[in-house]
Every structure is written in C-alpha cells, then in structure tokens.
Amino acid sequence: MLSSAELAAWLRLTESVGPGAARRLLAMAGSPQAVYELPTVALDQALPPKQREAFNQPPAHLDELVTHAQAWLAEPGHDLLVLGDADYPPRLLATADPPLLLWLQGRRELLGMPSLAIVGSRNPTAQGGDNARAFSRALAHAGYTIVSGLALGVDAAAHEGALDAEGATIAVVGTGLDQVYPRRNAGLAARLLAAGGLIVSEYSLGTPITQANFPRRNRIIAGLAQGCLVVEAAVQSGSLITARLSVEAGREVFAIPGSIHSPQARGCHALIRQGAKLVESAEDVLEELPPLGSRPAASPTLPETPHEQQALLDAMGFDPVSLDALMARSGWAAAELSAALLELELDGHVARLAGQLFQRRRQG
C-alpha cells in the first residue's frame, strides 16, 4: 500500500498535468516524488509553458483528495494500482496510453484473467439486448471474464449475461469510484460486486460525470481484453472507438451483423467491411479465442410454439416489420393478427418497437 507521501505525489502529478506529460516525467525521474526534485532545465524541456505552470502549483484540493483517498482505500475490497506496480495488468501496460492510476473496487485478480470486451449501443433493439446477454453468458461459461462499461443498453446486458452464467465481469467507468453512473445501474453495480466482479476507474475519487471521460475510458476496456465484440452500434458510436482502440492494441474485433434497415446495425456493418470478424454465435468468437473452460452450450433454438404461431414467426423473419406488411405476408385479419402478436410478445418471442413495428426475438 502506498504511503501518505507517495499517494500525495501520485495525486498531485495526475491532477496537475496530462497523462502523456506525466509518463515523460516518470521516465526521467522514476517516481512521482522524484519528479518534484528534477532540475528546472529538465522540467522546461519536458513540459510546455502551460503545463509547466500547472506543475508548479499544487492543486488547491490536494489535501482533501489525499484524506478522502486514504479513507476510501481503508475499506475492504478497495485498492489502487499505479503504473509500475509488479501486478499492473500486462495487456493494459502494452497499450499506447496505459493509465497512471487504476482505482479498483472488487476482485483485483480479474485484471489478469482471460477476458473479452462486449460493447454496443446505449439504446439497443430488443434483439440487440438479447444478443448481448446470450453471447456474454456463453463466453463467460467458456471461461472468459466479460469487460464492459456499465452503461445503459448493451453494456448492462453484457454484465448481466456474465452474472447469469455465474461468471466474472469487469466494469470500467468514467467517474470516480465513490459514485455510480448512470444511477439506474446502481443495483447492477452492487450485484456485480456481490458476485465477485470488479469495477475499475482511472479517475480520482470525486471525479464528476464529464462526457470527455467516457471515450477515454474505452481504451481501458479495449486494453484489458483479448478481443472486442460489438453487438449493435450506430455509425457515430463510442463502441466504434473501443473497436478502433482494440485494433490499435493488436486485439481481435468481432461484430454481429443486423438488419440493413436498422441504424443500430450500420456501425457493425462498417466494422465488418473494415476487417472485423462477422459472428453469429459464441462458437464463432471462440474459434479465434480458444475457450479455457467448458464449451458453451449449443445456441438455443426457439421453444416449441403452436403451429399457427410458428407460421407467423416464419412470416415475420428477423427484420422489423409493420402490422400492414405482416397482414399481407400472413393473410391474417388485423384483429386476429394483433391478438397473436400480443400473445407472442408476452411469451418473449416478439418485441414491439417504436413506430408500430414488430421484431422477432431469437431466444437465449
């Protein structure tokens, strides 16, 4: 555990200058405390004028940060890794921009476990959420720790899938660990920790919600994992940032294709055109990342349904479809069709989408 002086030096350095400048200074001096003993000439060469000015002036709230950090670190399951620690995760250390600090809550040994990132839209289709859970369950069952960002949508579904399989999962967040964002996922965060998972942040305690922090945390998601699976993503999506960072780190990238009519599938289709592996099952992922434990169960099939309902599901296909189009395909009357769709929706076979559209859901 860091001494009070060491902790203060690390916090002062990370709060004063950017990560690139901090790494340059550490390379010159060897430790944060030694950084503050560097000669003026060396500092002038390493830092541009604005950073030099910030470096010279300790943060006004430094004492408060240190006191808060010491109290937080005294709690069971709370920890802090610094760049240069012997057990700093090797995969993350090998990336272009490893964090100087890793605040940890939970089971820290998960950082060294075989892992796969699963990311995607914050507003997935019903099928996208189902896919995230199903792939996460299967991959966690195969022995992989699932890494995601605790965001709404695909991230939450990925964590839930791993927990449902009694597997391990890591959440990388963009705030200080003394808060949970989004608040709607506070219950999920508690469940994750109770099940032996891990929450990670590079940001000091008390760091508020700042949009710029979330794209930066994506590099940690990519860096901790051996590969990245994108479930659903629009063309302009943070998930594509994670995928790009995975490629830059030499990791495998996988993408699930979707409907050509769905905006949420276009990011995945773009990744596939750029060389990501198209996957339709967990087995497709495991071909590139051999499972370390038992093989996942075969992809489940649709449960038995009455013949008439199965015929209706076959008529739907897997793209979103309007009631009028389904009437034309099936030949059913509107009232009869609406009743059947309601029953299928209640049974979990069909999702009702915005714009009076319906979509068949793959089960599992």
Side-chain angles (χ1 to χ4, degrees):
M1 186 172 176
L2 297 176
S3 69
S4 178
E6 289 171 328
L7 179 60
W10 275 106
L11 291 175
R12 178 180 174 181
L13 181 62
T14 55
E15 293 289 313
S16 298
V17 298
R23 280 196 296 272
R24 288 197 302 274
L25 293 171
L26 288 169
M28 294 167 62
S31 73
Q33 289 169 292
V35 162
Y36 291 96
E37 298 174 1
L38 286 171
T40 299
V41 174
L43 291 171
D44 288 340
Q45 291 175 343
L47 298 175
K50 285 188 177 180
Q51 285 192 332
R52 182 76 168 88
E53 183 178 345
F55 176 85
N56 287 339
Q57 183 64 44
H61 58 305
L62 181 61
D63 290 343
E64 182 182 341
L65 278 176
V66 173
T67 300
H68 185 23
Q70 287 177 317
W72 188 86
L73 288 168
E75 295 291 327
H78 293 184
D79 214 338
L80 176 64
L81 278 178
V82 301
L83 191 66
D85 277 349
D87 52 353
Y88 192 95
R91 283 191 296 269
L92 188 57
L93 185 61
T95 61
D97 187 17
L100 291 143
L101 302 178
L102 286 176
W103 300 86
L104 310 175
Q105 185 174 2
R107 191 152 58 101
R108 66 182 281 174
E109 58 265 31
L110 293 183
L111 292 172
M113 297 293 185
S115 58
L116 185 84
I118 298 182
V119 297
S121 172
R122 284 178 169 79
N123 298 290
T125 65
Q127 187 60 63
D130 291 346
N131 287 341
R133 289 184 191 87
F135 273 79
S136 181
R137 278 197 301 269
L139 292 163
H141 179 68
Y144 284 91
T145 296
I146 303 303
V147 185
S148 199
L150 201 66
L152 299 176
V154 166
D155 285 17
H159 293 305
E160 289 165 356
L163 294 171
D164 291 344
E166 299 183 352
T169 185
I170 298 172
V172 183
V173 301
T175 63
L177 289 190
D178 51 351
Q179 58 187 299
V180 176
Y181 178 80
R183 292 299 304 168
R184 283 167 55 185
N185 280 347
L188 176 58
R191 181 187 171 197
L192 181 154
L193 291 172
L198 176 68
I199 304 179
V200 179
S201 178
E202 69 176 313
Y203 297 108
S204 297
L205 302 174
T207 300
I209 301 161
T210 303
Q211 288 304 312
N213 289 354
F214 292 94
R216 279 194 57 76
R217 69 90 193 266
N218 290 351
R219 81 191 195 287
I220 304 177
I221 295 175
L224 287 174
Q226 292 165 265
C228 177
L229 170 63
V230 183
V231 177
E232 279 188 343
V235 173
Q236 300 294 329
S237 167
S239 301
L240 300 193
I241 296 174
T242 309
R244 175 178 57 78
L245 293 167
S246 296
V247 171
E248 291 175 358
R251 315 293 158 82
E252 299 287 346
V253 176
F254 310 93
I256 300 175
S259 167
I260 61 172
H261 304 293
S262 172
Q264 298 290 37
R266 290 174 187 162
C268 288
H269 293 170
L271 289 174
I272 292 166
R273 286 195 296 271
Q274 294 163 16
K277 180 173 180 178
L278 184 156
V279 295
E280 298 175 322
S281 69
E283 287 86 349
D284 293 337
V285 176
L286 293 173
E287 287 177 358
E288 305 297 329
L289 301 172
L292 305 174
S294 57
R295 297 286 298 188
S299 298
T301 56
L302 194 70
E304 286 293 324
T305 56
H307 176 73
E308 296 81 3
Q309 288 187 343
Q310 188 60 56
L312 180 55
L313 289 170
D314 291 342
M316 291 185 74
F318 287 96
D319 279 358
V321 61
S322 69
L323 189 66
D324 288 343
L326 198 50
M327 286 172 59
R329 292 182 193 175
S330 67
W332 290 25
E336 182 183 18
L337 183 57
S338 294
L341 286 170
L342 178 59
E343 186 173 349
L344 287 167
E345 184 180 0
L346 294 173
D347 288 340
H349 297 307
V350 167
R352 187 182 300 265
L353 309 180
Q356 294 299 307
L357 298 176
F358 298 87
Q359 185 177 27
R360 180 176 174 179
R361 300 175 74 164
R362 292 188 185 273
Q363 301 300 298

